[in-house]
């Protein structure tokens, strides 16, 4: 199956710092990548849809100036959490949509666990 | 009403048992349906897509009921390794998926 990597797998930072998370599709080109956030014992919540070469589409309630998304190539999307605060601590997961076969199948990266002190 | 709803469980079943989960969705325009498995503190992994005609993969069977707007997952001959949270995902436009909160399954000896 399609492989998606995510880096870093975990990060601990001080309040006020910015954190960048990378999402890469390793063996396919992903025109669309998705960023989710999951709090403990809750469902995955879609934050934004990232399209290569264009601006990301953010879900209602997600601040685009706080969660900066860049999708500069067909295999890489980045999410930057700017001025992180403890309430931003969460499990951030990206997924990439594979364009072969069923075009709406999403494959997930291993996630990044962010802890803001 | 939530877009996608699942019974959170947990479902505690003995090894070898058959267990079934349902997932209801509210958007009648939904076009794609999936079951994902998520282990504790890990990312979701695609278990199977759900087709209108129903589909089977080994011990797992998925079905879609468009009239009643639900999908189901049946696991036969449960193994200890099946213990996980099972998420259903429903897609409508633009490939966006909406996930349920998941149903936790615990298979015991």
């Amino acid at each position: 199956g399609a492989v998606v990597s995510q880096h870093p797998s975990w990060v601990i930072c001080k309040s006020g710092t910015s954190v960048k998370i990378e999402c890469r599709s390793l063996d396919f080109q992903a025109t669309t990548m998705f960023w989710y956030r999951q709090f403990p014992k809750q469902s995955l919540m879609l934050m934004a849809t990232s399209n290569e070469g264009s601006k990301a589409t953010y879900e209602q309630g997600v601040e685009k100036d706080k969660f900066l998304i860049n999708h500069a190539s067909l295999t890489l999307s980045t999410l930057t959490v700017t001025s992180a605060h403890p309430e931003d601590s969460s499990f951030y997961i990206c997924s990439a949509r594979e364009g072969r076969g069923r075009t709406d199948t999403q494959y997930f990266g291993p996630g990044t666990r962010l802890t803001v002190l | 009403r939530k877009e996608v709803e699942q019974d959170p469980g947990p479902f505690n079943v003995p090894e070898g048992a058959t267990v079934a989960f349902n997932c209801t969705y509210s958007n009648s325009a939904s076009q794609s349906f999936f079951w994902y498995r998520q282990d504790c503190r890990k990312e979701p992994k695609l278990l199977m897509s759900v087709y209108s005609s129903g589909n089977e993969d080994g011990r797992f069977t998925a079905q879609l009921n468009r009239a009643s707007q639900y999908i189901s997952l049946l696991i036969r001959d449960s193994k200890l390794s099946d213990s996980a949270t099972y998420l259903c995902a429903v897609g409508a436009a633009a490939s966006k998926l909406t996930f349920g909160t998941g149903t936790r399954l615990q298979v015991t000896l």
Side-chain angles (χ1 to χ4, degrees):
Chain A
V3 180
V4 177
S5 72
Q6 212 172 315
H7 177 81
S9 54
W10 59 269
V11 59
I12 302 173
C13 68
K14 291 182 180 179
S15 187
T17 59
S18 293
V19 176
K20 181 189 272 190
I21 303 170
E22 291 186 351
C23 178
R24 293 180 186 273
S25 56
L26 298 185
D27 53 358
F28 66 99
Q29 293 185 329
T31 54
T32 305
M33 289 184 172
F34 302 88
W35 286 96
Y36 294 85
R37 181 168 53 182
Q38 187 177 36
F39 292 105
K41 297 189 178 181
Q42 293 188 27
S43 182
L44 287 113
M45 296 302 296
L46 179 64
M47 299 175 67
T49 302
S50 169
N51 294 298
E52 187 265 338
S54 64
K55 290 183 180 180
T57 304
Y58 290 81
E59 294 300 301
Q60 194 172 16
V62 178
E63 299 175 57
K64 63 179 181 180
D65 294 330
K66 181 169 179 64
F67 298 99
L68 301 178
I69 291 172
N70 184 278
H71 193 156
S73 76
L74 286 171
T75 59
L76 173 64
S77 176
T78 61
L79 167 69
T80 300
V81 183
T82 61
S83 187
H85 290 285
E87 58 265 29
D88 297 323
S89 299
S90 187
F91 190 42
Y92 291 85
I93 316 174
C94 71
S95 73
R97 183 167 67 92
E98 186 186 19
R100 304 189 297 272
R102 283 188 66 79
T103 58
D104 49 6
T105 301
Q106 292 185 27
Y107 294 92
F108 286 85
T112 297
R113 198 161 297 279
L114 171 64
T115 302
V116 185
L117 303 175
Chain B
R1 183 185 171 188
K2 288 182 181 177
E3 285 188 61
V4 179
E5 290 199 72
Q6 291 182 256
D7 180 342
F11 283 55
N12 295 298
V13 302
E15 232 183 342
T18 296
V19 62
F21 311 131
N22 279 346
C23 168
T24 59
Y25 60 95
S26 61
N27 185 353
S28 59
S30 298
Q31 299 168 14
S32 54
F33 308 88
F34 305 90
W35 282 103
Y36 282 83
R37 170 196 169 125
Q38 186 174 26
D39 292 291
C40 188
R41 300 176 73 84
K42 298 283 189 180
E43 79 278 19
K45 291 192 185 296
L46 180 65
L47 184 63
M48 58 200 307
S49 304
V50 188
Y51 304 121
S52 296
S53 55
N55 47 305
E56 187 174 310
D57 182 4
R59 297 181 294 110
F60 299 84
T61 301
Q63 293 196 312
L64 165 64
N65 186 316
R66 285 193 184 272
S68 300
Q69 294 185 200
Y70 74 85
I71 62 174
S72 64
L73 177 68
L74 181 80
I75 305 176
R76 288 183 298 277
D77 188 22
S78 300
K79 312 286 185 195
L80 292 174
S81 56
D82 294 333
S83 298
T85 296
Y86 291 84
L87 305 170
C88 68
V90 177
S95 298
K96 285 169 52 172
L97 291 181
T98 302
F99 285 82
T101 52
T103 298
R104 195 155 67 87
L105 171 66
Q106 183 67 50
V107 181
T108 58
L109 287 170

